[in-house]
Every structure is written in structure tokens, then in C-alpha cells.
Amino acid sequence: MDSSEIQKLANLAMIEIDDSQVSEVAARISDVLALVDQLQAADTDNVTPMAHPLDTVQRLRSDEVNEPNRREAFQAIAPESENGLYLVPKVIDAG
Amino acid sequence: MTWETVIGLEVHVQLATKSKLFSATSTAFGSEPNTQASAIDLAMPGTLPVANEEPFRYAIMFGLAIGAEIGKESVFERKNYFYPDLPKGYQTTQLAKPIVGAGEVEITLEDGSTKSIRIHHAHLEEDAGKSMHEDFHGMSGIDLNRAGTPLIEIVSEPDLRSAEEAVAFAKKLHSLVTSLGICDGEMSQGSMRFDVNISVHKPGTPFGTRTETKNLNSFKFMEEAIEMEVDRQIEELESGGVIDQETRLYDGDKRTAKTMRKKADENDYRYFPCPDLLPVVFDDAYVDAIKAAMPELPEARAARFKEEYQLSDYDADILSADAATSAYFEQLVKTSNDAKQSANWIMGELSAKLNAEEKSIKDSPVTAEQLGGVISRTQDGTISSKIAKQVFEALWDGKGTSADEIIESQGLKQVSDTGALEKMADEVIANSAKQVENYRNADPDKRPKMLGYFVGQIMKASKGQANPQAINKILIEKLNALL
């Protein structure tokens, strides 16, 4: 992992990595990737891919509304709100 | 050789469940901001998703309707990106193991030809919230009521070759999901949204580079956006340029489109299986039970309308396409007992009014029962077809609760009383010496046409309330007596 790859990842994850930390982070991520390489060497030809480590299935609930409106409590701990909306620094990008 | 357009669609369909996909919060449209945003929807620390069964049932219904393989084991993944209306920092969606596999949808084009469009797959996912950028002193306002609303995203193969085909396909999906009852189909509320992938190429050569125009929420905007983008790409290529792979935004109100982001800036979503959700598994018996309880689909309904009500192909197709229109039609036939007149009223007067006021038939101010009254009173001769339109307008404007009440209160009853009509005919004939003379001298073949003048005069005198058949009969007798 070179420093530009580390910075790209940091950017995607929205975390700040100082230039002085880059080499340490790169080394640690490289260790994890080495571990993944090792795992990938295992023969999995006859193994069904697993979506979750627990060997069970999702339980589903019935379609009922039972969450009350707790806007006041939630907005009391929000940094800023107005007319019922949460206010955040302006970001424009249509997803 | 001319350019060929290649289009693929990604369609987001909001499922009409009562509660959200992963929380028991209401999905009702139009509530006060953030009153339907629970701790799970807000991604409060320590919360976990609790999956709702209904969206799976709805997705399976859609899968069965398009002849797709149903994902017996379906898996959720996290699509990671940061945006304020997505509090978790990822959208819970499906990628490798979607609930609905490959299927097919048949579309009918204006010339009557049909074409089969392949569906790559359809997956379940949660909707994001809404951001508002105006009027918040430089900040953005976030409403998370929509966050977590269940969606199916339907992904087509690039089988569409024109804006017309794309619109026909979108309308067909609308017809399917409303007939299945899995979506309310309210386009103006964002219940169906389209992302359109567009490229052009010369037939026989590989597909061109495509662009994606996102978030179109009406058939009209979609058609305009496609036509504009196709023109732009052809112009670019013919002047020696290249098409960049990019995401574009179309502004339907301004009729302009612009680049939103280039490929280099595309998000890298880093999908991975969601550890908070186990695989969702359905057995054959579950899917079979849904299959056994499937509602009537548009094709079957069209066939039934032709058979049961003797409608033409054209009428049957139009009236059966949309579940709400079909329901209105059948209710109307029940009260009016006249399928042809019911069809004509819905496709004529009613559609025109609804379109003009941008209302959906579900919100029609004139109910099927009320309109049925108008048709019945026309058939039994109480009012003429011209007055019927007046009664319809009055019902629309809320000037009465039934056709009978309006006919009574506004005195619109048709005059069929022979004595009164004869008197009017005598007066008109007495005052129209010249026209009577012409009538007498005219070739007998031409006379029926010349009756129009006299009928018109009597209609005028009676304020439109004279019974036209009765007048005709009386006039012919009286004029022929003068020959």
C-alpha cells in the first residue's frame, strides 16, 4: 500500500491520517492484506460461500408500526435543528 | 449509417408497506419532518435493524409477475458512502444475492408491436432521507422520515432502443406494481424514480460509452431527458468528440441537463455483507403460497374486460393498465350498467379534467358512483349528453352530492313533453320563413342536413334542455306538412 492509496482510503472513510502516520498505517493494512492472502490460499472449491458466520437465518417481524414520534428527544441532543429539520453544513451532491 | 440508441433503466419502486424495512416506524407520506424517524432510522449507537417481512413478500410478488427466479436465500450488504441524509454512513442493500433474479417484461409500443425487455435482477434496499438546501442560512435541512422506507430497485438489461420504448417500459412497470398493490404508484410523491443509462452506437459495432441520468420522477421528464442526452451524444460524436462516462442531472422544470460527476470521481462503495443481518431464507411452500394468492395482472385484466364488457382492444388496454383506473371503471359500470359509456367518460371528460388539474384518479372529486348517476340519467333520457357534461362539471366543483340533486336544483331536466316542444317548433318555424322556404325547395336528400338549423334554434330556446330525438321527430312532421 503506498501513501496515495492510504490517503484515498482515508478519504473514503472520512478519517484524517497525518503524513507522519501514513507509513505505520500502510504497514498495518499490508499485514491485514497478507492475512487475507493467506486465507485465499485455502481450497474452497467444495465449500458453499457463507454470508454470515452464524449458521441460522433472519427472523422477520410483521408489518406493524409501533415506534412513537420521539422527535423532541432526538432533536434535543442534535447540534442544530430548525422547523423540525436537522441542520448540517451544506453539502450538495445528489447521491 | 444512423446512430442507434441503447438504454438501460434502474427503477426505484417504493413499497407500500405500513412500516419501514428495518424499523417499526411509519412510512406515511407527508408527515411533519422527522416525526417518523426512530432511533434505528437515525442510526443511534447500539441500534440494530429488525427486518420487516412484508417487503420480501412484495418483492417476491414482483418476481413472480415477471417470471423471475426467486432468491430463496437473499443477503444484505452495506453500500458505503457519506451523505447527511444517510445517517448510518451506508445504505443497506443487496448485491450478490438479490431477492429477485432475471426475468422479462413485455412492452407494447404505439404501433401495436410488442417487445420483450429483460430484467437483470431486482433487489431490496432502504431509501435515504431528504436534504433541503434552501432557506437554512447556508446550512442544509435534513428530513429523515423517508430514511429506511423499503424500495425494490429493478435493473433492466440494455434492451431499450428509444425514449418511446423506455417510457413504455416504465409505464408497464408502473402498471405491474400498482396492479400487484405493492406500490401506490404516486409519481409526484416519488413512489417511482428512474435512473437512465444512455449510450449511442452504430448498429453492428460495440455499445458506446454510457452516461447515467439520475432521479427522474415522471414519464415526461424521462422522455425529455433521454431525447436531450441522445442528441447531445450524437452531436458530440459527430463533431469528433468522445463521450465521458459520467453521472448527469436533468432539471425538468428548466429543461436543462448537466454533469453531476465524472467517472474519476465516482464513489467507491466498498460493499460487504451486513454483519447485522442474517441471510433471509424462503422455502418453496412460502413462494407457492404467494403465487396462489397473486392479484389479477394487467394482461389478464385486459382480456377479462374485453370478454366481460365487450370493450375494444384499445379501451381494454387503457382501462386495465392502472389498478386505480381499473377499479374506478368496474365501479362505474356497476352503477351505470353501460360499459361503453363508462369507458368513454373515463377516457374522455374525466381524464381531461384529472390531467388539467394534475390529479390522480384515486383523488377524483367525482366518484364512480356519482359519475354512474350522470350516465344513468343520460340513458333514461332525463338529461341530454350535453347537459350531462354540465352536471359532471357541477359534481367536480362540489355543487352537489349526486347527479339527481344537481339536475333537480339547477332545473336541468330535459324537455321531452311533446306539447311544449311542438309549441317551440311552431315558433321557430314561424320566425324562419327564409329557412323554411329553402327547406321546401331543397332536394329531399339534403333536407335532413338542413334540419340542423331548426334543431339548433330550439335547443337555444330551451337552453339545451330539449330532447334532441323528440325535436327531430316533431320538426320533420311539421316541415313535411308544409311541402
Side-chain angles (χ1 to χ4, degrees), chain A residues 5-90:
Chain A
E5 283 172 312
I6 295 295
Q7 288 301 356
K8 188 187 171 209
L9 278 179
N11 194 32
L12 283 169
M14 294 256 173
I15 53 176
E16 192 175 0
I17 296 179
D18 214 272
D19 282 346
S20 66
Q21 297 172 297
V22 168
S23 60
E24 192 208 331
V25 172
R28 283 167 58 188
I29 292 182
S30 296
D31 283 350
V32 175
L33 292 178
L35 180 64
V36 173
D37 277 344
Q38 202 178 337
L39 286 171
Q40 273 179 339
D43 176 9
T44 56
D45 280 356
N46 295 311
V47 181
T48 313
M50 180 174 72
H52 198 280
L54 296 181
D55 188 18
T56 177
V57 298
Q58 183 68 41
R59 282 188 54 181
L60 302 172
R61 67 177 167 85
S62 61
D63 184 25
E64 279 160 32
V65 175
N66 53 37
E67 282 283 354
N69 169 21
R70 293 168 63 203
R71 183 174 78 177
E72 212 170 307
F74 293 137
Q75 297 204 330
I77 53 169
E80 224 177 316
S81 61
E82 189 179 302
N83 296 331
L85 296 162
Y86 293 95
L87 292 195
V88 299
K90 197 165 189 164

Coordinates of all heavy atoms in Angstrom, one line a residue, chain A residues 5-90:
Chain A
E5 N -2.7 5.5 -1.9 CA -3.8 4.5 -1.7 C -4.3 4.7 -0.3 O -5.5 4.6 0.0 CB -3.3 3.1 -1.9 CG -3.2 2.7 -3.3 CD -2.5 1.3 -3.5 OE1 -1.5 1.1 -2.9 OE2 -3.1 0.5 -4.3
I6 N -3.4 4.9 0.7 CA -3.8 5.1 2.1 C -4.7 6.4 2.2 O -5.7 6.4 2.8 CB -2.6 5.3 3.0 CG1 -1.8 4.0 3.0 CG2 -3.0 5.7 4.4 CD1 -2.5 2.8 3.6
Q7 N -4.2 7.5 1.5 CA -5.0 8.7 1.5 C -6.3 8.6 0.9 O -7.3 9.1 1.3 CB -4.2 9.9 0.9 CG -3.0 10.4 1.7 CD -3.4 10.8 3.1 OE1 -4.5 10.9 3.5 NE2 -2.3 11.2 3.9
K8 N -6.4 7.7 -0.2 CA -7.7 7.5 -0.8 C -8.7 6.8 0.1 O -9.8 7.2 0.2 CB -7.5 6.7 -2.1 CG -8.8 6.7 -2.9 CD -8.7 5.8 -4.2 CE -10.1 5.7 -4.7 NZ -10.4 4.4 -5.4
L9 N -8.1 5.8 0.8 CA -9.0 5.1 1.7 C -9.4 5.9 2.9 O -10.6 5.9 3.3 CB -8.2 3.9 2.3 CG -8.1 2.6 1.5 CD1 -7.3 1.5 2.2 CD2 -9.5 2.1 1.2
A10 N -8.5 6.8 3.4 CA -8.8 7.7 4.5 C -9.9 8.6 4.1 O -10.8 8.9 4.8 CB -7.6 8.4 4.9
N11 N -9.8 9.1 2.8 CA -10.8 10.0 2.3 C -12.2 9.3 2.2 O -13.2 9.9 2.6 CB -10.3 10.5 0.9 CG -11.0 11.7 0.4 OD1 -11.5 12.5 1.2 ND2 -11.3 11.7 -0.9
L12 N -12.2 8.1 1.7 CA -13.5 7.4 1.6 C -14.1 7.1 2.9 O -15.3 7.1 3.1 CB -13.2 6.0 0.9 CG -13.1 6.1 -0.7 CD1 -12.6 4.7 -1.2 CD2 -14.4 6.5 -1.3
A13 N -13.2 6.9 3.9 CA -13.7 6.6 5.3 C -13.9 7.8 6.1 O -14.4 7.7 7.2 CB -12.7 5.6 6.0
M14 N -13.6 9.0 5.5 CA -13.7 10.2 6.2 C -13.0 10.3 7.5 O -13.5 10.7 8.5 CB -15.2 10.6 6.4 CG -16.0 10.8 5.2 SD -16.4 12.5 4.9 CE -17.1 12.5 3.3
I15 N -11.7 9.8 7.4 CA -10.9 10.0 8.6 C -9.6 10.7 8.2 O -9.2 10.6 7.0 CB -10.5 8.6 9.3 CG1 -9.9 7.6 8.3 CG2 -11.7 8.0 10.0 CD1 -9.5 6.3 8.9
E16 N -9.0 11.4 9.1 CA -7.8 12.1 8.8 C -6.6 11.3 9.2 O -6.5 10.9 10.3 CB -7.8 13.5 9.5 CG -6.8 14.4 9.0 CD -6.9 15.8 9.6 OE1 -7.8 16.0 10.5 OE2 -6.1 16.7 9.3
I17 N -5.7 11.1 8.2 CA -4.4 10.4 8.5 C -3.3 11.4 8.2 O -3.1 11.8 7.1 CB -4.3 9.1 7.7 CG1 -5.4 8.1 8.2 CG2 -2.9 8.5 8.0 CD1 -5.3 6.8 7.5
D18 N -2.6 11.7 9.3 CA -1.4 12.6 9.2 C -0.3 12.0 8.4 O -0.2 10.8 8.4 CB -0.9 12.7 10.6 CG -0.4 14.1 10.9 OD1 0.8 14.3 10.6 OD2 -1.2 15.0 11.3
D19 N 0.4 12.8 7.6 CA 1.5 12.3 6.8 C 2.5 11.4 7.7 O 3.0 10.4 7.2 CB 2.3 13.4 6.1 CG 1.6 13.9 4.9 OD1 0.6 13.2 4.5 OD2 1.9 15.0 4.4
S20 N 2.7 11.8 8.9 CA 3.6 11.1 9.8 C 3.1 9.7 10.1 O 3.8 8.8 10.5 CB 3.9 11.9 11.0 OG 2.7 12.0 11.8
Q21 N 1.7 9.5 10.0 CA 1.2 8.2 10.4 C 1.1 7.3 9.2 O 0.8 6.1 9.4 CB -0.3 8.4 10.9 CG -0.3 9.3 12.2 CD -1.8 9.6 12.5 OE1 -2.5 10.2 11.7 NE2 -2.3 9.0 13.6
V22 N 1.3 7.8 8.0 CA 1.0 7.0 6.8 C 1.8 5.7 6.7 O 1.2 4.7 6.5 CB 1.2 7.9 5.5 CG1 1.2 7.0 4.3 CG2 0.1 8.9 5.4
S23 N 3.0 5.8 7.0 CA 3.8 4.6 6.8 C 3.4 3.5 7.9 O 3.3 2.3 7.5 CB 5.3 4.9 7.0 OG 5.6 5.4 8.2
E24 N 3.1 3.9 9.0 CA 2.6 3.0 10.0 C 1.3 2.3 9.6 O 1.1 1.1 9.7 CB 2.5 3.7 11.4 CG 2.3 2.7 12.5 CD 1.5 3.3 13.7 OE1 1.5 4.5 13.9 OE2 0.8 2.5 14.4
V25 N 0.4 3.2 9.2 CA -1.0 2.7 8.8 C -0.8 1.7 7.6 O -1.4 0.6 7.5 CB -1.9 3.8 8.4 CG1 -3.2 3.3 7.8 CG2 -2.2 4.6 9.6
A26 N 0.1 2.1 6.6 CA 0.3 1.3 5.4 C 0.8 -0.1 5.8 O 0.4 -1.1 5.3 CB 1.3 2.0 4.5
A27 N 1.8 -0.1 6.8 CA 2.3 -1.4 7.2 C 1.2 -2.2 7.9 O 1.1 -3.4 7.6 CB 3.5 -1.1 8.2
R28 N 0.4 -1.6 8.7 CA -0.6 -2.4 9.4 C -1.7 -2.9 8.4 O -2.1 -4.1 8.5 CB -1.3 -1.6 10.5 CG -0.4 -1.5 11.7 CD -0.8 -0.5 12.7 NE -2.1 -0.6 13.2 CZ -2.7 0.3 14.0 NH1 -2.1 1.4 14.3 NH2 -3.9 0.0 14.4
I29 N -2.1 -2.1 7.4 CA -3.1 -2.6 6.5 C -2.5 -3.7 5.6 O -3.1 -4.7 5.3 CB -3.6 -1.4 5.6 CG1 -4.5 -0.5 6.5 CG2 -4.5 -2.0 4.4 CD1 -5.1 0.7 5.7
S30 N -1.2 -3.5 5.3 CA -0.5 -4.6 4.5 C -0.5 -5.9 5.2 O -0.6 -7.0 4.6 CB 0.9 -4.1 4.1 OG 0.9 -3.0 3.3
D31 N -0.3 -5.8 6.6 CA -0.3 -7.1 7.4 C -1.7 -7.7 7.2 O -1.8 -9.0 7.1 CB -0.1 -6.7 8.8 CG 1.4 -6.5 9.1 OD1 2.2 -6.7 8.2 OD2 1.7 -6.0 10.2
V32 N -2.8 -6.9 7.3 CA -4.1 -7.5 7.2 C -4.3 -8.1 5.8 O -4.8 -9.2 5.7 CB -5.2 -6.4 7.4 CG1 -6.6 -7.0 7.2 CG2 -5.1 -5.8 8.9
L33 N -3.8 -7.4 4.8 CA -4.0 -7.9 3.4 C -3.2 -9.2 3.3 O -3.6 -10.2 2.6 CB -3.5 -6.9 2.4 CG -4.4 -5.7 2.3 CD1 -3.9 -4.7 1.3 CD2 -5.9 -6.1 1.9
A34 N -2.0 -9.3 3.9 CA -1.2 -10.6 3.9 C -2.0 -11.7 4.5 O -2.0 -12.8 4.0 CB 0.1 -10.4 4.6
L35 N -2.8 -11.4 5.6 CA -3.6 -12.4 6.2 C -4.7 -12.9 5.2 O -5.0 -14.1 5.1 CB -4.2 -11.8 7.5 CG -5.1 -12.7 8.3 CD1 -4.3 -13.9 8.8 CD2 -5.8 -11.9 9.4
V36 N -5.3 -11.9 4.5 CA -6.3 -12.2 3.6 C -5.8 -13.1 2.5 O -6.4 -14.1 2.1 CB -6.9 -10.9 3.0 CG1 -7.9 -11.3 1.8 CG2 -7.7 -10.1 4.0
D37 N -4.5 -12.8 2.0 CA -3.9 -13.6 1.0 C -3.7 -15.1 1.5 O -4.0 -16.0 0.8 CB -2.5 -13.1 0.7 CG -2.5 -12.0 -0.3 OD1 -3.6 -11.8 -1.0 OD2 -1.5 -11.2 -0.4
Q38 N -3.4 -15.2 2.8 CA -3.2 -16.5 3.3 C -4.5 -17.3 3.3 O -4.5 -18.4 3.0 CB -2.7 -16.3 4.8 CG -1.9 -17.5 5.3 CD -1.4 -17.3 6.7 OE1 -1.2 -16.1 7.1 NE2 -1.2 -18.3 7.5
L39 N -5.5 -16.6 3.7 CA -6.9 -17.2 3.7 C -7.3 -17.6 2.3 O -7.9 -18.7 2.1 CB -7.9 -16.2 4.3 CG -7.9 -16.0 5.8 CD1 -8.9 -14.8 6.1 CD2 -8.3 -17.2 6.5
Q40 N -6.9 -16.8 1.3 CA -7.4 -17.0 0.0 C -6.6 -18.3 -0.6 O -7.1 -18.9 -1.6 CB -7.1 -15.8 -0.9 CG -8.3 -14.9 -0.8 CD -8.2 -13.7 -1.7 OE1 -7.1 -13.3 -2.0 NE2 -9.3 -13.0 -2.0
A41 N -5.5 -18.6 0.0 CA -4.8 -19.8 -0.4 C -5.6 -21.1 -0.1 O -5.3 -22.2 -0.7 CB -3.4 -19.8 0.2
A42 N -6.5 -21.0 0.9 CA -7.2 -22.2 1.3 C -8.1 -22.7 0.1 O -8.7 -21.9 -0.6 CB -8.1 -21.9 2.5
D43 N -8.2 -24.1 0.0 CA -9.0 -24.7 -1.1 C -10.5 -24.6 -0.7 O -10.9 -25.2 0.3 CB -8.6 -26.1 -1.3 CG -9.4 -26.8 -2.3 OD1 -10.3 -26.1 -3.0 OD2 -9.3 -28.0 -2.5
T44 N -11.3 -23.8 -1.4 CA -12.7 -23.7 -1.0 C -13.6 -24.2 -2.1 O -14.8 -23.9 -2.2 CB -13.0 -22.2 -0.8 OG1 -12.7 -21.4 -1.9 CG2 -12.3 -21.6 0.4
D45 N -13.0 -25.0 -3.0 CA -13.8 -25.5 -4.2 C -15.2 -26.1 -3.8 O -16.2 -25.9 -4.5 CB -13.0 -26.5 -5.0 CG -12.0 -25.7 -5.9 OD1 -12.1 -24.4 -5.9 OD2 -11.2 -26.4 -6.6
N46 N -15.1 -26.9 -2.7 CA -16.4 -27.6 -2.4 C -17.1 -27.0 -1.2 O -17.8 -27.6 -0.5 CB -16.1 -29.0 -2.1 CG -15.6 -29.7 -3.4 OD1 -16.2 -29.6 -4.4 ND2 -14.4 -30.4 -3.3
V47 N -16.8 -25.7 -0.9 CA -17.4 -25.0 0.2 C -18.4 -24.0 -0.2 O -18.1 -23.2 -1.1 CB -16.3 -24.3 1.1 CG1 -16.9 -23.7 2.3 CG2 -15.2 -25.3 1.5
T48 N -19.6 -24.1 0.3 CA -20.6 -23.1 -0.1 C -20.2 -21.7 0.6 O -20.0 -21.7 1.8 CB -22.0 -23.5 0.5 OG1 -22.2 -24.8 0.2 CG2 -23.1 -22.6 -0.1
P49 N -20.3 -20.6 -0.2 CA -19.9 -19.3 0.4 C -20.9 -19.0 1.5 O -22.1 -19.3 1.5 CB -20.1 -18.4 -0.8 CG -20.1 -19.2 -2.0 CD -20.6 -20.5 -1.6
M50 N -20.4 -18.4 2.5 CA -21.1 -18.1 3.7 C -21.4 -16.6 3.8 O -20.4 -15.8 3.7 CB -20.3 -18.6 4.9 CG -20.9 -18.4 6.2 SD -19.8 -19.2 7.5 CE -18.4 -18.1 7.5
A51 N -22.6 -16.2 4.0 CA -22.9 -14.8 4.1 C -22.8 -14.2 5.5 O -22.7 -13.1 5.8 CB -24.3 -14.5 3.6
H52 N -22.8 -15.2 6.5 CA -22.8 -14.7 7.9 C -22.2 -15.9 8.7 O -22.4 -17.0 8.4 CB -24.2 -14.5 8.3 CG -24.2 -13.6 9.6 ND1 -24.1 -14.1 10.8 CD2 -24.5 -12.3 9.8 CE1 -24.1 -13.2 11.7 NE2 -24.4 -12.0 11.1
P53 N -21.3 -15.5 9.7 CA -20.7 -16.6 10.5 C -21.7 -17.5 11.3 O -21.4 -18.6 11.7 CB -19.7 -15.9 11.4 CG -20.2 -14.5 11.4 CD -20.8 -14.2 10.1
L54 N -22.9 -16.9 11.6 CA -23.9 -17.7 12.4 C -24.6 -18.6 11.4 O -25.2 -18.1 10.4 CB -24.8 -16.8 13.1 CG -24.2 -16.0 14.2 CD1 -25.3 -15.1 14.9 CD2 -23.5 -16.8 15.2
D55 N -24.8 -19.9 11.7 CA -25.5 -20.8 10.8 C -26.9 -20.8 11.1 O -27.5 -21.8 11.5 CB -24.9 -22.2 10.9 CG -25.4 -23.1 9.8 OD1 -26.0 -22.6 8.8 OD2 -25.3 -24.3 10.0
T56 N -27.6 -19.6 10.9 CA -29.0 -19.6 11.1 C -29.6 -18.5 10.2 O -28.8 -17.9 9.4 CB -29.3 -19.2 12.6 OG1 -30.7 -19.1 12.8 CG2 -28.6 -17.9 13.0
V57 N -30.9 -18.3 10.2 CA -31.5 -17.4 9.2 C -32.2 -16.3 9.9 O -32.5 -16.3 11.1 CB -32.5 -18.1 8.3 CG1 -31.8 -19.2 7.5 CG2 -33.7 -18.7 9.1
Q58 N -32.4 -15.2 9.2 CA -33.0 -14.0 9.8 C -34.5 -14.2 10.1 O -35.2 -14.8 9.4 CB -32.9 -12.9 8.7 CG -33.5 -11.5 9.1 CD -32.6 -10.9 10.2 OE1 -31.4 -11.0 10.2 NE2 -33.2 -10.3 11.2
R59 N -34.9 -13.8 11.3 CA -36.3 -13.8 11.7 C -36.9 -12.5 11.2 O -36.2 -11.4 11.2 CB -36.4 -13.9 13.2 CG -36.2 -15.3 13.7 CD -36.6 -15.4 15.1 NE -38.0 -14.9 15.4 CZ -38.5 -14.9 16.6 NH1 -37.8 -15.4 17.7 NH2 -39.7 -14.5 16.8
L60 N -38.1 -12.5 10.8 CA -38.8 -11.3 10.3 C -39.9 -10.9 11.2 O -40.6 -11.8 11.7 CB -39.3 -11.6 8.8 CG -38.2 -12.0 7.8 CD1 -38.8 -12.4 6.5 CD2 -37.2 -10.9 7.6
R61 N -40.2 -9.6 11.2 CA -41.3 -9.2 12.1 C -42.5 -8.9 11.1 O -42.3 -8.7 9.9 CB -40.9 -7.9 12.8 CG -40.6 -6.7 12.0 CD -40.3 -5.5 12.7 NE -39.8 -4.5 11.8 CZ -40.6 -3.7 11.1 NH1 -41.9 -3.7 11.2 NH2 -40.1 -2.8 10.2
S62 N -43.7 -8.8 11.7 CA -44.8 -8.4 10.9 C -44.9 -6.9 10.7 O -44.2 -6.2 11.4 CB -46.1 -8.9 11.6 OG -46.2 -8.3 12.8
D63 N -45.6 -6.5 9.6 CA -45.5 -5.1 9.2 C -46.5 -4.3 10.1 O -47.6 -4.0 9.7 CB -46.0 -5.1 7.7 CG -45.9 -3.6 7.1 OD1 -45.1 -2.8 7.7 OD2 -46.6 -3.4 6.2
E64 N -46.0 -3.9 11.2 CA -46.8 -3.0 12.1 C -45.9 -1.8 12.6 O -44.7 -1.9 12.7 CB -47.2 -3.8 13.4 CG -48.4 -4.7 13.1 CD -48.5 -5.8 14.1 OE1 -48.1 -5.6 15.3 OE2 -48.9 -6.9 13.8
V65 N -46.7 -0.7 12.7 CA -46.0 0.5 13.2 C -46.1 0.6 14.7 O -47.2 0.5 15.2 CB -46.7 1.7 12.6 CG1 -46.1 3.0 13.2 CG2 -46.5 1.7 11.1
N66 N -45.0 0.5 15.4 CA -45.1 0.8 16.9 C -44.0 1.6 17.4 O -43.8 1.7 18.6 CB -45.2 -0.6 17.6 CG -44.1 -1.5 17.3 OD1 -43.0 -1.1 17.1 ND2 -44.4 -2.8 17.2
E67 N -43.3 2.4 16.6 CA -42.3 3.3 17.0 C -43.0 4.7 17.2 O -43.6 5.2 16.2 CB -41.2 3.5 16.0 CG -40.2 2.4 16.0 CD -39.2 2.5 17.1 OE1 -39.2 3.5 17.9 OE2 -38.4 1.6 17.3
P68 N -43.1 5.2 18.4 CA -43.7 6.5 18.6 C -42.8 7.6 18.0 O -41.7 7.4 17.7 CB -43.8 6.6 20.1 CG -42.7 5.8 20.6 CD -42.4 4.7 19.6
N69 N -43.4 8.8 17.9 CA -42.7 10.0 17.5 C -41.9 10.5 18.7 O -42.4 11.0 19.6 CB -43.7 11.1 17.0 CG -43.0 12.4 16.8 OD1 -41.8 12.5 16.6 ND2 -43.8 13.5 16.8
R70 N -40.5 10.5 18.6 CA -39.7 11.0 19.7 C -38.8 12.1 19.1 O -37.6 12.2 19.6 CB -38.9 9.8 20.3 CG -39.8 8.8 21.0 CD -39.0 7.5 21.3 NE -37.9 7.8 22.2 CZ -36.9 6.9 22.3 NH1 -36.8 5.9 21.6 NH2 -35.9 7.2 23.2
R71 N -39.3 12.8 18.2 CA -38.5 13.9 17.6 C -37.9 14.9 18.6 O -36.7 15.2 18.5 CB -39.3 14.7 16.6 CG -38.6 15.7 15.8 CD -39.4 16.4 14.7 NE -40.3 17.4 15.3 CZ -41.1 18.1 14.5 NH1 -41.0 18.0 13.2 NH2 -41.9 19.0 15.0
E72 N -38.7 15.3 19.6 CA -38.3 16.2 20.5 C -37.0 15.8 21.3 O -36.1 16.5 21.4 CB -39.4 16.5 21.5 CG -39.4 18.0 22.0 CD -40.7 18.3 22.8 OE1 -41.8 18.0 22.2 OE2 -40.5 18.7 23.9
A73 N -37.1 14.5 21.7 CA -36.0 14.0 22.5 C -34.7 13.9 21.6 O -33.6 14.2 22.0 CB -36.3 12.6 23.0
F74 N -34.9 13.4 20.3 CA -33.8 13.3 19.4 C -33.2 14.7 19.1 O -32.0 14.8 19.0 CB -34.1 12.6 18.2 CG -34.5 11.1 18.4 CD1 -35.6 10.5 17.7 CD2 -33.8 10.3 19.2 CE1 -35.9 9.2 17.9 CE2 -34.1 9.0 19.4 CZ -35.2 8.4 18.8
Q75 N -34.1 15.6 18.9 CA -33.5 16.9 18.4 C -32.9 17.7 19.6 O -32.1 18.6 19.4 CB -34.6 17.7 17.7 CG -35.0 17.0 16.4 CD -35.6 17.8 15.3 OE1 -36.3 18.8 15.6 NE2 -35.5 17.4 14.1
A76 N -33.3 17.3 20.8 CA -32.7 17.9 22.0 C -31.2 17.7 22.0 O -30.4 18.5 22.6 CB -33.3 17.4 23.3
I77 N -30.7 16.5 21.5 CA -29.3 16.2 21.5 C -28.6 16.5 20.2 O -27.4 16.2 20.0 CB -29.0 14.7 22.0 CG1 -29.8 13.8 21.1 CG2 -29.4 14.6 23.5 CD1 -29.4 12.3 21.3
A78 N -29.4 17.0 19.2 CA -28.7 17.3 17.9 C -28.0 18.7 18.0 O -28.5 19.6 18.7 CB -29.8 17.4 16.8
P79 N -26.9 18.8 17.3 CA -26.2 20.1 17.4 C -27.1 21.3 17.0 O -27.1 22.3 17.6 CB -25.0 20.0 16.5 CG -24.8 18.5 16.3 CD -26.2 17.9 16.5
E80 N -27.9 21.1 15.9 CA -28.7 22.2 15.5 C -30.0 21.6 14.8 O -29.9 20.7 14.0 CB -28.0 23.1 14.5 CG -28.2 24.5 14.8 CD -27.3 25.4 13.9 OE1 -26.1 25.2 13.6 OE2 -27.9 26.4 13.4
S81 N -31.1 22.2 15.0 CA -32.3 21.9 14.3 C -33.2 23.1 14.1 O -33.1 24.1 14.8 CB -33.1 20.7 15.0 OG -33.5 21.2 16.2
E82 N -34.1 23.0 13.1 CA -35.0 24.2 12.8 C -36.2 23.7 12.1 O -36.1 22.9 11.2 CB -34.2 25.2 11.9 CG -34.9 26.5 11.8 CD -34.1 27.5 10.9 OE1 -33.0 27.8 11.3 OE2 -34.7 27.9 9.9
N83 N -37.4 24.1 12.6 CA -38.6 23.7 12.0 C -38.7 22.2 11.8 O -39.2 21.7 10.8 CB -38.8 24.3 10.6 CG -38.9 25.8 10.6 OD1 -39.4 26.4 11.6 ND2 -38.5 26.5 9.6
G84 N -38.2 21.5 12.8 CA -38.3 20.0 12.7 C -37.2 19.4 11.9 O -37.1 18.1 11.9
L85 N -36.4 20.1 11.2 CA -35.3 19.6 10.4 C -34.0 19.6 11.1 O -33.7 20.5 11.9 CB -35.2 20.4 9.1 CG -36.4 20.4 8.2 CD1 -36.3 21.5 7.2 CD2 -36.5 19.0 7.4
Y86 N -33.2 18.5 10.9 CA -31.8 18.6 11.4 C -31.0 19.5 10.5 O -31.1 19.3 9.3 CB -31.2 17.2 11.5 CG -31.9 16.2 12.4 CD1 -32.9 15.4 12.0 CD2 -31.5 16.2 13.8 CE1 -33.6 14.5 12.9 CE2 -32.2 15.4 14.7 CZ -33.2 14.5 14.2 OH -33.9 13.7 15.1
L87 N -30.2 20.3 11.1 CA -29.4 21.2 10.2 C -27.9 20.7 10.2 O -27.4 20.3 11.3 CB -29.4 22.7 10.7 CG -30.7 23.4 10.6 CD1 -30.5 24.9 10.8 CD2 -31.4 23.1 9.3
V88 N -27.4 20.7 9.0 CA -26.0 20.2 8.9 C -25.3 21.2 7.9 O -25.9 21.9 7.2 CB -25.9 18.8 8.2 CG1 -26.6 17.8 9.1 CG2 -26.5 18.8 6.8
P89 N -23.9 21.2 7.9 CA -23.2 22.0 7.0 C -23.7 21.7 5.6 O -24.0 20.5 5.3 CB -21.8 21.6 7.2 CG -21.7 21.1 8.6 CD -23.0 20.4 8.8
K90 N -23.8 22.7 4.7 CA -24.4 22.5 3.4 C -23.5 21.5 2.5 O -22.3 21.8 2.4 CB -24.5 23.8 2.7 CG -25.4 23.8 1.5 CD -25.7 25.2 1.1 CE -26.8 25.3 0.0 NZ -27.3 26.7 0.0

